[in-house]
């Protein structure tokens, strides 16, 4: 069974802390994504990566960075967490698809609370 | 930039009845793909159905069908014979050539016994 695993389901951090959200997929997928989900706003794309060591900004990259050192792992980093980054974070992956097809496979989400 | 609009924050349906969840999109691209995902309370997003912009037939997957009206830029999800397990958030999404998946705000569906 295909799997996208996010390291933590629930995290509580303090303002100013550095936060790492880890995502691992076992499907040998080229593409990986980080989304943020907030009520009434749906999912918003933070960063994505089409291959190892590559990264592209999504719609809301401010305050975030990412790392993709290995194909199976895509990390989201909050350099200095702020309360407005309290949210649900969803990681997804996809086999290479240069067209308009290719569904995303999602992890179970990481709910981050910043106090 | 493309935009996805889901105007129904919440919907109710009686068990065994059909329900339509609305989705409209805005893009100037001719080549695009439309997706629907389900998110149960457990949080994981589940892919339901896909429609390509050049597909002439409406997509169907079991009890799910996508009512694709290209001229109106709408891609409504129809769930037939609703079940209690269909209660969840539903998201419409679009991908255009050269860009990646964008999602609507979602619709929360509640199936009543």
């Amino acid at each position: 069974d295909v799997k996208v695993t996010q390291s933590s389901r629930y995290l509580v951090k303090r303002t100013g802390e550095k936060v790492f959200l880890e995502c691992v997929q076992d499907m040998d997928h080229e593409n990986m994504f980080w989304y943020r989900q907030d009520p009434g706003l749906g999912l918003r794309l933070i960063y994505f990566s089409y291959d190892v060591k590559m990264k592209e900004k999504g719609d809301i990259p401010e305050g975030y960075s990412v790392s993709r050192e290995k194909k199976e792992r895509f990390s989201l980093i909050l350099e200095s967490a702020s309360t407005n980054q309290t949210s649900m974070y969803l990681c997804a992956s996809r086999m290479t698809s240069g067209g308009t097809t290719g569904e995303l496979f999602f992890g179970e989400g990481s709910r981050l609370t910043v106090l | 930039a493309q935009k996805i609009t889901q105007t129904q924050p919440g919907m109710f349906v009686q068990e065994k009845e059909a329900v339509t969840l609305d989705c409209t999109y805005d893009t100037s691209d001719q080549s695009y793909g439309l997706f629907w995902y389900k998110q149960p309370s457990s949080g994981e997003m589940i892919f339901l159905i896909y429609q390509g912009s050049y597909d002439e037939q409406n997509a169907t997957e079991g009890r799910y069908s996508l009512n694709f009206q290209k001229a109106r830029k709408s891609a409504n999800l129809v769930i037939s014979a609703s079940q209690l397990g269909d209660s969840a958030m539903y998201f419409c999404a679009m991908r255009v050539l050269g860009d990646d998946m964008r999602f609507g705000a979602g619709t929360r569906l509640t199936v009543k016994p």
Side-chain angles (χ1 to χ4, degrees):
Chain A
D1 201 12
V2 297
K3 199 85 175 146
V4 178
T5 304
Q6 294 184 228
S7 54
S8 307
R9 290 296 305 271
Y10 301 94
L11 301 96
V12 180
K13 298 291 182 181
R14 298 214 172 267
T15 300
E17 279 193 78
K18 191 168 186 174
V19 181
F20 291 87
L21 299 179
E22 305 282 344
C23 176
V24 177
Q25 50 95 2
D26 65 359
M27 297 168 279
D28 202 34
H29 282 173
E30 301 280 346
N31 307 160
M32 296 189 74
F33 305 80
W34 276 105
Y35 287 90
R36 170 179 171 158
Q37 181 180 0
D38 299 287
L41 297 177
L43 280 70
R44 292 178 292 168
L45 184 60
I46 306 172
Y47 266 97
F48 57 102
S49 168
Y50 284 161
D51 204 346
V52 178
K53 305 242 187 230
M54 291 178 64
K55 59 185 178 185
E56 300 283 345
K57 292 180 179 179
D59 295 326
I60 52 163
E62 297 78 19
Y64 304 96
S65 62
V66 290
S67 172
R68 183 115 182 255
E69 295 296 316
K70 293 186 177 181
K71 189 176 186 180
E72 67 271 18
R73 188 179 297 271
F74 192 36
S75 303
L76 181 69
I77 304 153
L78 288 66
E79 294 289 342
S80 177
S82 62
T83 54
N84 62 13
Q85 293 178 310
T86 291
S87 187
M88 170 74 95
Y89 291 88
L90 291 167
C91 175
S93 72
R94 181 184 63 212
M95 206 179 316
T96 301
S97 172
T100 61
T101 59
E103 76 267 25
L104 300 179
F105 294 84
F106 283 86
E108 291 186 320
S110 298
R111 187 168 291 282
L112 172 67
T113 301
V114 183
L115 302 175
Chain B
Q2 61 269 29
K3 187 178 176 184
I4 304 285
T5 303
Q6 293 180 257
T7 56
Q8 306 154 315
M11 288 281 286
F12 290 88
V13 65
Q14 205 67 40
E15 194 178 6
K16 297 180 187 171
E17 292 185 353
V19 63
T20 298
L21 305 183
D22 294 342
C23 173
T24 58
Y25 58 91
D26 188 19
T27 181
S28 56
D29 285 70
Q30 297 302 307
S31 180
Y32 51 88
L34 296 156
F35 303 75
W36 277 93
Y37 285 83
K38 172 184 178 181
Q39 187 183 43
S41 55
S42 58
E44 188 173 351
M45 298 277 282
I46 301 165
F47 166 71
L48 296 178
I49 197 166
Y50 167 81
Q51 178 89 38
S53 58
Y54 295 115
D55 296 340
E56 294 188 353
Q57 303 262 26
N58 284 345
T60 60
E61 290 286 348
R63 293 185 300 110
Y64 304 108
S65 60
L66 200 152
N67 183 1
F68 181 45
Q69 298 187 47
K70 195 169 182 176
R72 298 178 65 182
K73 294 189 175 178
S74 76
N76 298 339
L77 178 70
V78 181
I79 306 174
S80 62
S82 297
Q83 302 172 356
L84 296 178
D86 293 334
S87 293
M89 283 290 289
Y90 288 82
F91 291 96
C92 180
M94 179 171 68
R95 184 181 179 201
V96 302
L97 210 58
D99 198 2
D100 228 296
M101 197 95 68
R102 299 297 195 270
F103 288 79
T107 296
R108 181 171 296 281
L109 177 67
T110 303
V111 180
K112 298 189 286 186

